[in-house]
Amino acid sequence: MSTTSTIREVRITPVALPDPPLLNVWGVHAPWALRTFVEVVTDDGTVGLGEAQGGLAALERLERAARAAVGTDVRDTTALEARVRAALSGTAERPLLTAFSPLEVACLDAHGRLDDVPCVELLGGPHRDQVELTGYLFFKWAGQPGPDGTTVPDAWGPILDADSLVTSARALVAKYGFRSLKLKGGVLPPEDEIACIRALRDALPGVLLRLDPNNAWTLPTARAASAELTGLLEYLEDPTPCGSDMARLAAETALPLATNMCVAEEAQIGPALADGSVDVLLADHHYWGGLRRTVAIARRCGEIGWGVSLHSNTHLGVSLAAMAHMGAAIGNLTHAGDTHYPWTAEHDVLVPGDIAIKDGAVAVPAGPGLGVRLDPERLAAAHEAYLSCGFRERGDTAWMRTVQPDFDPSVPRW
Ligand code: GKR
Ligand code: MG
């Protein structure tokens, strides 16, 4: 076991990857999705990897946190957190933990490499050797808007009705073996989305289904929809605004309610527990403050009677590897975790073959640390794309308004 583990340098590389026009309640994904990679380098040259959400504001916080991380021991994530908290003093808890997270993941990766153990061992050890994942269905346009009103088509084509949605679902299930599917809702009127769920139920009877309208429905709409959806879904995610509406719905419906919006930091657990509005929490290490904290939050969910799933935003393979190690360490992972990876995999910057989704699951990489490697050429190309793409923040509403200038992202909408 090596004893040299002090961080001498943190390399931060923002990247951009092509993104299809996936629709959601806030608008539509722009042609470029932004992520940021972290490489923590110890004094003996060991490198640990982390992946973070992109965007200039988050990047600036991450850079400040990274400067504070230099000189800490990769084995001492408590000291790392203290330094990050000091460096970002005055920052709200969620963005602060979002800056800490990729550094914590990178330290765990380096620690695992130094001690020749997989990260899951540093999280308490594995409950499973692969983590079940959910195929993520989106409505989408035929392609991204091009110059002068043209469309730049993509391989998925338009997904705007039940038939095309079922076709995309069949394709995801055939390619990745998913045993559950999540539909990103809040895009079409509720009756159309319910019809889509019925079509999926008929087409893929053995596959569990979820629907996430991202707070788009009023309480009366959510009440009526949940009556129709009970028995069709394993859970309904964030149907109506957080707080009293979610609580009232939860009290009335037999359908389990899940969230990644109403409980997104520790201070929100108590109120949601008190009002009974949550049955399943979608954990996300990117904003819960890294792998160790998220494993602890998941344990707490078990104690208070909540189920646990995993939340996902557009991400690449370092995050997928982190989710695999973390998901394996969560004893009470009651539901398959979300992942955007099928929408981004072809643009990953890992050494090809280091990680993949097969048979509806991701195997925990066997090597030390996270068990995955960046491909320097692919990383450099993705960074060049970042420099030239012109996008610096995620802006689904702004991109939607390039096509539909009067688009209003307010919720609840129906
Ligand atoms: O990428 O469009 C998207 C998703 O809607 C994502 O932004 C959400 O955070 O998938 C997420 C969710 O479960 O709410
Ligand atoms: Mg959600």
Side-chain angles (χ1 to χ4, degrees), residues 203-238:
L204 297 158
V207 173
L208 296 173
L209 300 174
R210 311 163 179 181
L211 173 62
D212 179 7
N214 284 118
N215 296 166
W217 298 343
T218 63
L219 178 59
T221 300
R223 202 175 259 145
S226 62
E228 289 198 57
L229 292 166
T230 300
L232 296 177
L233 300 180
E234 66 176 313
Y235 59 65
L236 180 60
E237 185 175 322
D238 288 312

Side-chain angles (χ1 to χ4, degrees), residues 123-216:
L123 301 174
H127 290 270
R128 53 191 72 82
D129 56 13
Q130 49 180 10
V131 174
E132 181 102 7
L133 295 171
T134 294
Y136 208 146
L137 300 172
F138 282 87
F139 296 111
K140 65 178 285 296
W141 292 335
Q144 287 286 8
D148 304 322
T150 57
T151 294
V152 184
D154 61 48
W156 289 92
I159 305 175
L160 292 165
D161 58 21
D163 286 348
S164 50
L165 186 70
V166 165
T167 301
S168 73
R170 287 190 199 281
L172 278 182
V173 168
K175 183 163 182 190
Y176 295 101
F178 291 122
R179 287 173 283 272
S180 59
L181 294 168
K182 161 169 162 171
L183 173 59
K184 174 54 58 182
V187 174
L188 304 182
E191 57 275 19
D192 294 350
E193 294 189 352
I194 292 169
C196 285
I197 291 292
R198 289 192 192 286
L200 289 168
R201 175 71 304 129
D202 291 345
L204 297 158
V207 173
L208 296 173
L209 300 174
R210 311 163 179 181
L211 173 62
D212 179 7
N214 284 118
N215 296 166

Side-chain angles (χ1 to χ4, degrees), residues 24 26 29 136 138 182 184 212 214 237 260 311-313 340 394:
N24 60 30
W26 303 285
H29 286 211
Y136 208 146
F138 282 87
K182 161 169 162 171
K184 174 54 58 182
D212 179 7
N214 284 118
E237 185 175 322
N260 64 277
H311 172 252
S312 160
N313 255 314
H340 272 251
R394 180 174 174 171

Side-chain angles (χ1 to χ4, degrees), residues 280-294:
V280 179
L281 181 71
L282 276 70
D284 187 331
H285 71 274
H286 298 92
Y287 56 79
W288 280 100
L291 303 184
R292 284 184 167 141
R293 269 178 178 274
T294 309

